[in-house]
Amino acid sequence: EDLARYYYDKFGIETVVIRIGSCFEEPRDRRMLATWMSYGDFIELVGRALSVPRVGYLVVYGISDNDELFWDNRAARVLGYRPQDNAESFRAEIEAKTPVPDPFDPATRFVGGGFCAAGHYED
């Protein structure tokens, strides 16, 4: 992201940075109820990012229109992105098959999820 920003500031090369939460056919756990992006919404967002006439340097989140969200994605409106899917339709199924996460677990508390809980590879 920093390199893309540098190239925009120095050379005017426009970039859309898409921070993808989790892109799967359907959410797999409770955390993904907030981070999930459907394949259809992914295709729409990438298409918008590639076709909008002027973007400058823009950071957006790759998420569907979920009721529960980690991130404010208003910046994606500049692209005309209006997600169609919502993880809420999977909530009952997900909650029935996955336990309530420990609120103190780094995988729950931090945006990095499981990466935050995994520790260093040499540990």
Side-chain angles (χ1 to χ4, degrees), residues 21-99:
S22 53
C23 188
F24 295 94
E25 189 171 345
E26 59 185 54
R28 297 179 176 176
D29 57 31
R30 291 173 187 248
R31 186 175 190 281
M32 284 190 190
L33 294 171
T35 65
W36 180 69
M37 180 180 210
S38 70
Y39 293 155
D41 286 341
F42 174 75
I43 291 166
E44 177 68 16
L45 180 56
V46 171
R48 294 281 179 170
L50 293 171
S51 63
V52 96
R54 300 271 314 156
V55 293
Y57 172 80
L58 182 65
V59 177
V60 299
Y61 290 92
I63 49 177
S64 287
D65 188 28
N66 306 322
D67 287 0
E68 185 179 337
L69 296 169
F70 281 174
W71 310 289
D72 177 353
N73 206 26
R74 284 179 282 189
R77 294 181 191 153
V78 170
L79 303 172
Y81 176 61
R82 304 287 186 271
Q84 300 300 304
D85 297 311
N86 187 325
E88 199 62 27
S89 60
F90 299 97
R91 182 174 294 281
E93 177 186 347
I94 295 292
E95 288 182 348
K97 70 180 183 183
T98 61

